[in-house]
Amino acid sequence: MKFVFDPVQSAHNPGNFLSSGVRKPNPETPARADMLLEAGRASGFEIEAPDDYGLAPAAAIHSPEYLRFLQSIHARWREIPGASDEVIPNVHPNGRPHGTSAGYPASAVGQAGYHMADTACPISESTWTSVKASMNTAVHATRQVRAGARAAYALCRPPGHHAFADMAGGFCYLNNSAIAAQDLRRDHDRVVVLDVDLHHGNGTQGIFYRRDDVLTISIHADPQNFYPFFWGHGNERGAGAGVGYNLNFPLALGSGNKPFLAALDSACEAIAAFAPGAMVVALGLDAHESDPFAGLAVTTAGFGEIGHEIGGLALPSVIVQEGGYANPALGANLVSFLEGFGRSSP
Ligand SMILES: [Zn+2]
């Protein structure tokens, strides 16, 4: 399996993370990618750097004003006298008219509020460069699959599944999994995005919520008591033409392999019924029992079983890295998933 990684992604090194009102070091660090890369290398995966695919893949998912914002906001923010090094919003306009330009502010502070769902997605001078490299990594893996590879893994950092069409959030800026799915749609009438990250894939859900050509499924810690709080409940089934094409499997906090795999069984049944031509796996590894977010309790062997079951769907698959934070098992969890997936390859 191709293992795609771009070292340029490491330039993004966010400093701040506000947790229950306390400023802490941001856990979405370059060291995460180093751990995953080393584990992949040690297990014999062939590491490949991505080509540059320009902005077209991002523009197929994200709004023009949001892409302009991501590219320009840091320089404009720094023109504000006394502004912080990192762009962090201090206004949060709930209920703004999504997806339209009505009421779009001119000010850098206003736009930061408009385009950033929370404080966990600070933008520094090097953020855009790394975000673009992360997207290229996902697109490169996708193009390998479109060219006939059974599967490819994209070590994307920063991650993407909390990013909406015009809004960053939760360490995410461009939605790499959604971009990969849209790119796969050029060859396949139906594509599924299966998200196994600890956190609900709210951005991906939002992007495809009204569509019936991309089935979105997420297995995650119950948002009643866990980020992203406002999305990820079982009754969110899609809207308009998309009704029935979004499935959420919220799990009780602390759930281990058994409930996770039971939800995955149901997810796989729904995927088989949808009969997609290709799949994106939004692979978070933060459901692990040792992850610092401590939401679920999947084991390293459990990730192997998850990979094996998903691989058993026998679909052309782009595996996109989402969350998973520094802990001694992080690299082993990735290898366990990829090897489990590989064991079921036809
Ligand atoms: Zn996560």
Side-chain angles (χ1 to χ4, degrees):
M1 187 189 301
K2 280 267 169 61
F3 186 120
V4 187
F5 176 71
D6 188 339
V8 171
Q9 295 175 114
S10 301
H12 171 65
N13 189 5
N16 291 304
F17 179 54
L18 205 57
S19 176
S20 306
V22 178
R23 187 184 282 205
K24 293 183 177 170
N26 193 305
E28 206 290 284
T29 61
R32 292 179 59 230
D34 294 344
M35 291 177 205
L36 296 168
L37 180 66
E38 280 319 305
R41 196 172 267 146
S43 297
F45 286 95
E46 179 192 341
I47 317 286
E48 183 168 308
D51 296 328
D52 185 352
Y53 295 93
L55 281 183
I61 290 293
H62 295 281
S63 72
E65 65 193 9
Y66 180 56
L67 293 177
R68 276 195 298 276
F69 167 82
L70 288 178
Q71 292 170 83
S72 67
I73 187 60
H74 185 261
R76 294 170 52 220
W77 184 266
R78 294 293 294 145
E79 286 169 9
I80 302 169
S84 55
D85 285 344
E86 293 180 325
V87 179
I88 300 173
N90 53 267
V91 289
H92 299 276
N94 293 342
R96 69 176 170 82
H98 251 284
T100 79
S101 294
Y104 190 66
S107 111
V109 173
Q111 288 181 10
Y114 189 93
H115 289 299
M116 297 164 92
D118 51 51
T119 58
C121 44
I123 296 175
S124 69
E125 192 173 9
S126 50
T127 296
W128 171 248
T129 306
S130 292
V131 164
K132 209 169 42 164
S134 187
M135 176 195 66
N136 280 330
T137 300
V139 175
H140 194 82
T142 306
R143 297 295 164 92
Q144 308 307 308
V145 171
R146 288 183 60 200
R150 150 93 170 100
Y153 168 69
L155 204 186
C156 293
R157 183 191 165 268
H161 73 150
H162 296 308
F164 286 74
D166 63 354
M167 190 164 69
F171 313 143
C172 301
Y173 305 86
L174 294 181
N175 194 314
N176 302 310
S177 290
I179 289 168
Q182 187 66 28
D183 205 57
L184 287 170
R185 273 285 289 108
R186 292 164 68 178
D187 295 335
H188 302 281
D189 291 340
R190 290 180 307 285
V191 171
V192 61
V193 183
L194 173 59
D195 190 317
V196 297
D197 189 279
L198 165 65
H199 304 92
H200 175 243
N202 56 333
T204 318
Q205 169 176 302
I207 286 165
F208 296 116
Y209 205 59
R210 292 182 165 273
R211 287 171 54 170
D212 59 5
D213 58 328
V214 180
L215 172 65
T216 46
I217 303 181
S218 182
I219 304 171
H220 48 266
D222 191 337
Q224 288 285 357
N225 287 297
F226 214 74
Y227 186 90
F229 303 109
F230 308 103
W231 300 270
H233 306 278
N235 61 359
E236 296 162 21
R237 299 295 309 277
V243 170
Y245 296 92
N246 184 77
L247 286 179
N248 287 323
F249 294 93
L251 303 178
L253 294 191
S255 295
N257 294 346
K258 209 173 164 190
F260 200 104
L261 286 162
L264 184 60
D265 284 344
S266 302
C268 288
E269 278 173 32
I271 293 170
F274 181 63
M279 169 168 61
V280 176
V281 183
L283 177 63
L285 297 166
D286 40 6
H288 188 256
E289 57 186 349
S290 301
D291 190 89
F293 281 97
L296 296 175
V298 172
T299 64
T300 300
F303 279 112
E305 291 182 53
I306 292 166
H308 189 257
E309 179 153 358
I310 295 173
L313 292 164
L315 289 165
S317 299
V318 184
I319 301 166
V320 176
Q321 186 64 48
E322 297 288 356
Y325 301 90
N327 77 84
L330 183 60
N333 291 337
L334 173 62
V335 171
S336 181
F337 178 92
L338 294 179
E339 290 186 347
F341 186 96
R343 271 199 304 281
S344 57
S345 287

